[in-house]
Amino acid sequence: MKKTLTASLGILALAACSSSPTDSETAPAIAPEAATPSDMVYTILVSGTKIGDMVVTEADDTISVDYEYRNNGRGPTMLETVEIGENGIPVSWTVKGNSTFGNAINETFTLDGSSASWTDSTGDGSAEITEPSMYIAQSGTPYSLAVYSDALLADPDQSLPALPGGSLSLQKLEDFPVSGPEEETVTSYALIGPELDPTYFLLDDQDDLFALISPEFLIVKEGYESEDVRLREKAVEYSTARFEQLQADTAHSFDAPVRITNVRIFDPNTMDLTPPASVLVDGERIVSIDAAGASAAGEYVIDGAGGTLVPGLSDMHGHMGQDAAMQNLAAGVTFVRDMGNDNDVLGDLIEKIEAGTLAGPRIVRSSFIEGKSPYNSNNGMIVTSQEEANDAVRKSCEMGVFNQIKIYNSMKGEWVPEMVDLAHECGLRVAGHVPAFSRADTMIQAGYDELTHINQVMLGWVLDADEDTRTLLRLTALQRLPKLDLSSDAVQHTLDLMVENDVAIDPTFAIHESLLLSRNGELNPGMVDYIDNMPVGVQRSARQAWSNIETPEDDAAYAGAFDQITETLQMMKDRGILILFGTDLGGALTLHRELELYQTIGFTPGEILRRSTQDAADYLGMGDEVGSIEEGKLADFFLIQGNPVEDLKAIKTIRMVMKDGVAYFPTEIYPSFGIEPFTDVPVIEAPEE
């Protein structure tokens, strides 16, 4: 399960390539109707595997798009119609269908003279237009790029005001040849608008859409699928150039020791703040903790202004991509456990972070192993037999870069015991989903060290033996939870097994909140504290439901399911089951919500901070280097103004983050993502010469 903080193009494109990456679902791809000779057909691929098609028909000034894919058992199904008016500006736009998680989409836009009106998941909107303006479809298909680029290329500045707000602009990157049925020259562009990151795409020599590109996800004109790897590498190249420049512009390295003065320090051991102190950093390490006003010649001084230093946070359920790396660091997340990825793409990202060319958290890797099926995810290693599954574990051991293996939904449950034994023999933990047609109890008995996602545990208490959790059912069936008796023998037996076998749980609490409590037109409860600082596109997506909630009964069932999840986690905490805090939402600002939710099941702010710092570091075998602010440890921490032990929300307004002794000021970073900064920048005094 996973969803990122992006809207429109981001949701449609990037949700498929991560995972998370996500652990969600529906039936295999349904091929669109046979294309006529006048149709333009695009192939949708993730990590080189075809997962769907986009069929585009143009007749006069009307564009029709049939868009559908299935990855990991889930994906959108959409029919889009756009009527183009003067200067390439749409005068009518409709999108109908269902989103990745099933939410019904019925979006419309009309432009009548100078009057624009629209309806999307947030409700109705309107505006009077005084100059050519481009409507940005909230749930538009990726072919929206063709609509936007046509109008932008016709504009002298290649920039237009956008509706409902913000602006759209086009940046040309380069021309290069591609091979397929014909040799073509394509031009790459970055679309910059009301989202967190640019969207990279290609136009052919007729300025028609050729491809949407990203590091893992590709939509390309049919016949040019052989260019998949090269085009995805182009996306990495463009993104890398952007983030290398951001690193160069915002990373503050010091040529002498640097002291952070006048701070209190969160101590995971006491779960409280120390008396006022100062922290001296030399290079990448903390060399001493001294009096609040201590100083010495030759030191840089950063005035903490009475604030709090907190050890860097962890996200224990990430699927880290280049676009999210710097955002995580700006949010105080200095180490992430990646729960499954394209191994080559992730390896390249780790190399760039470790070399200092990109900013990002430390990444602890999981080897993602999935069974082959019509519903399988397309990351990591995909296997078709017991022997292949065993070989995947052996390869994971031999690679020497993984902390654990992660078993996924389409794995056959009967293959798991041998996989677990092999992993444990070479020192790897085993975590994962509950394979389809299996139950959590069986996986615990097979030797799982950790269960992933609370729904994976609870569904075993409400599903029939023949119901298939590789589909969207493993989300929609949560509607059955309100009728579940949590004191029943089945529930208590699973909890007993977890206690007896010392099995941890990575619940991904906040993603279930979004799945079960988000409603069209209402602000996602997890985004309340920061949404006003976000770009317009993110603000729109924050008011869009994830699930298909059509009746009051659906509403009550999903809300009741979240109550049952909360009560189950409370029981797990009371039993002493280790709960790990991870998002599967991309981390960054969503981690802050993940952490504060645990207050609802009895964790204190101090306990939450300890679990997400020193406890997490110890669990990953990194506790001697990170997790607390102590002499000799790596300088990984962040500065806030308030006291997070009294009010955990204080972690949401970060003034400085330090990783390996390099300082970053979120206020300098956020404008590049279209985010309005939350704080000021601390005062830095250079040493006297």
Side-chain angles (χ1 to χ4, degrees):
M1 191 183 304
K2 171 189 174 189
K3 193 169 183 181
T4 55
L5 278 178
T6 53
S8 189
L9 293 171
I11 286 177
L12 296 175
L14 299 183
C17 60
S18 61
S19 13
S20 44
T22 111
D23 309 346
S24 358
E25 317 56 82
T26 49
I30 302 170
E33 293 182 4
T36 65
S38 61
D39 289 340
M40 177 68 73
V41 180
Y42 296 84
T43 301
I44 306 170
L45 304 105
V46 62
S47 297
T49 299
K50 180 177 178 178
I51 59 172
D53 297 280
M54 180 170 71
V55 180
V56 180
T57 304
E58 296 195 22
D60 298 323
D61 294 325
T62 300
I63 302 167
S64 300
V65 184
D66 184 348
Y67 177 69
E68 182 174 65
Y69 70 73
R70 294 292 181 268
N71 179 46
N72 203 11
R74 61 94 178 93
T77 299
M78 296 183 185
L79 295 175
E80 179 178 52
T81 304
V82 186
E83 183 180 344
I84 305 298
E86 293 183 13
N87 302 315
I89 302 295
V91 295
S92 174
W93 199 322
T94 64
V95 188
K96 298 181 183 295
N98 292 91
S99 69
T100 295
F101 290 89
N103 183 36
I105 293 169
N106 187 9
E107 181 176 1
T108 62
F109 167 81
T110 58
L111 178 62
D112 184 4
S114 63
S115 298
S117 60
W118 59 89
T119 300
D120 59 21
S121 70
T122 69
D124 298 331
S126 63
E128 286 297 313
I129 306 302
T130 59
E131 59 182 321
S133 301
M134 175 61 69
Y135 176 71
I136 300 175
Q138 182 189 41
S139 300
T141 75
Y143 201 74
S144 303
L145 289 165
V147 177
Y148 302 148
S149 61
D150 279 352
L152 289 166
L153 288 170
D155 183 83
D157 299 323
Q158 297 191 354
S159 178
L160 289 168
L163 298 171
S167 64
L168 273 182
S169 62
L170 206 57
Q171 178 185 355
K172 182 178 177 179
L173 301 175
E174 65 170 334
D175 299 321
F176 60 91
V178 292
S179 298
E182 298 178 1
E183 295 290 322
E184 292 199 39
T185 297
V186 298
T187 303
S188 55
Y189 290 92
L191 181 74
I192 301 166
E195 303 295 342
L196 296 169
D197 292 292
T199 299
Y200 299 108
F201 66 101
L202 310 177
L203 299 181
D204 64 19
D205 56 9
Q206 301 299 309
D207 288 335
D208 292 328
L209 182 67
F210 182 83
L212 164 69
I213 61 176
S214 78
E216 293 178 57
F217 185 80
L218 181 74
I219 301 178
V220 66
K221 192 158 74 171
E222 188 177 51
Y224 292 86
E225 294 84 355
S226 62
E227 291 279 10
D228 168 71
V229 172
R230 186 164 73 107
L231 296 184
R232 289 191 289 117
E233 288 175 348
K234 284 286 186 183
V236 172
E237 176 186 329
Y238 303 146
S239 176
T240 297
R242 164 174 152 80
F243 288 111
E244 283 181 345
Q245 188 61 53
L246 274 175
Q247 167 76 339
D249 292 343
T250 61
H252 296 263
S253 298
F254 302 94
D255 56 8
V258 56
R259 184 182 295 276
I260 301 93
T261 62
N262 193 21
V263 292
R264 300 175 74 189
I265 301 167
F266 175 74
D267 181 352
N269 294 315
T270 64
M271 295 181 290
D272 206 348
L273 303 188
T274 68
S278 66
V279 176
L280 183 63
V281 174
D282 191 2
E284 65 179 10
R285 294 195 179 270
I286 300 165
V287 295
S288 66
I289 297 176
D290 306 303
S295 64
E299 295 176 349
Y300 287 87
V301 176
I302 299 176
D303 183 5
T308 303
L309 283 187
V310 181
L313 302 172
S314 64
D315 183 353
M316 295 294 279
H317 195 123
H319 297 275
M320 185 55 60
Q322 190 161 273
D323 290 351
M326 180 169 271
Q327 292 179 55
N328 270 273
L329 202 60
V333 183
T334 61
F335 63 111
V336 169
R337 180 177 63 166
D338 188 279
M339 294 295 283
N341 222 308
D342 181 305
N343 288 329
D344 292 336
V345 172
L346 183 63
D348 289 344
L349 174 60
I350 291 171
E351 287 181 8
K352 292 169 186 172
I353 292 173
E354 292 180 347
T357 58
L358 294 182
R362 307 178 193 285
I363 299 174
V364 177
R365 301 176 66 173
S366 305
S367 179
F368 187 92
I369 307 177
E370 166 73 309
K372 180 70 173 176
S373 83
Y375 307 91
N376 64 258
S377 178
N378 288 287
N379 283 291
M381 306 180 204
I382 301 175
V383 301
T384 62
S385 67
Q386 177 78 71
E387 188 53 39
E388 286 185 9
N390 292 353
D391 285 343
V393 178
R394 294 186 186 103
K395 182 177 180 181
S396 302
C397 296
E398 292 165 1
M399 290 175 69
V401 297
F402 298 113
N403 173 266
Q404 64 179 12
I405 64 169
K406 179 185 177 184
I407 293 170
Y408 211 62
N409 276 50
S410 289
M411 186 65 63
K412 291 188 179 298
E414 59 266 29
W415 298 348
V416 170
E418 290 186 25
M419 297 174 69
V420 170
D421 289 344
L422 288 168
H424 286 166
E425 285 175 12
C426 75
L428 296 183
R429 278 198 180 97
V430 179
H433 289 206
V434 176
F437 312 112
S438 299
R439 295 293 182 264
D441 295 6
T442 307
M443 294 303 103
I444 295 169
Q445 292 165 335
Y448 266 32
D449 300 293
E450 179 185 325
L451 290 160
T452 303
H453 300 301
I454 187 62
N455 66 317
Q456 291 284 314
V457 178
M458 298 182 71
L459 286 173
W461 303 329
V462 296
L463 291 180
D464 294 334
D466 60 349
E467 290 187 287
D468 193 347
T469 56
R470 297 172 301 177
T471 70
L472 202 60
L473 178 70
R474 75 175 187 255
L475 305 178
T476 59
L478 295 176
Q479 295 178 84
R480 305 178 194 178
L481 291 183
K483 297 180 180 180
L484 174 66
D485 178 4
L486 294 180
S487 65
S488 65
D489 290 344
V491 173
Q492 296 305 313
H493 180 63
T494 300
L495 300 187
D496 289 343
L497 285 175
M498 293 182 73
V499 172
E500 292 166 8
N501 292 276
D502 195 24
V503 173
I505 177 77
D506 161 26
T508 59
F509 204 172
I511 200 171
H512 288 87
E513 178 188 47
S514 289
L515 176 73
L516 299 171
L517 299 186
S518 61
R519 300 291 184 267
N520 286 332
E522 299 177 15
L523 181 59
N524 186 314
M527 302 173 73
V528 170
D529 291 333
Y530 62 83
I531 193 60
D532 289 344
N533 295 63
M534 293 293 108
V536 172
V538 177
Q539 293 192 29
R540 291 175 80 192
S541 67
R543 292 171 172 83
Q544 187 171 30
W546 287 28
S547 301
N548 189 20
I549 300 170
E550 297 181 337
T551 67
E553 291 75 19
D554 291 340
D555 187 301
Y558 277 115
F562 188 71
D563 291 341
Q564 291 285 75
I565 284 172
T566 301
E567 187 172 344
T568 299
L569 289 173
Q570 173 76 70
M571 291 193 300
M572 289 179 171
K573 178 183 181 295
D574 292 344
R575 293 284 199 98
I577 293 167
L578 178 63
I579 300 175
L580 301 166
F581 302 159
T583 66
D584 199 18
L585 282 166
L589 299 177
T590 66
L591 178 70
H592 301 161
R593 178 58 175 177
E594 180 78 24
L595 299 184
E596 69 180 346
L597 277 175
Y598 288 99
Q599 293 177 109
T600 66
I601 64 169
F603 281 95
T604 67
E607 290 173 328
I608 290 168
L609 290 174
R610 181 179 67 183
R611 181 61 48 85
S612 60
T613 57
Q614 190 64 61
D615 287 353
D618 289 341
Y619 189 80
L620 297 176
M622 304 165 60
D624 292 338
E625 292 280 63
V626 297
S628 62
I629 300 171
E630 299 180 56
E631 181 178 330
K633 283 195 172 185
L634 292 168
D636 286 16
F637 48 75
F638 61 96
L639 173 67
I640 57 177
Q641 195 56 43
N643 181 344
V645 174
E646 294 179 353
D647 182 1
L648 190 61
K649 287 183 184 292
I651 65 172
K652 297 185 177 187
T653 49
I654 296 175
R655 302 182 69 211
M656 179 191 73
V657 180
M658 185 169 279
K659 175 175 173 274
D660 287 331
V662 178
Y664 299 86
F665 303 113
T667 293
E668 297 178 348
I669 293 171
Y670 282 141
S672 296
F673 295 94
I675 300 173
E676 182 180 339
F678 300 92
T679 67
D680 60 0
V681 174
V683 175
I684 305 176
E685 295 181 7
E688 295 183 4
E689 296 185 2

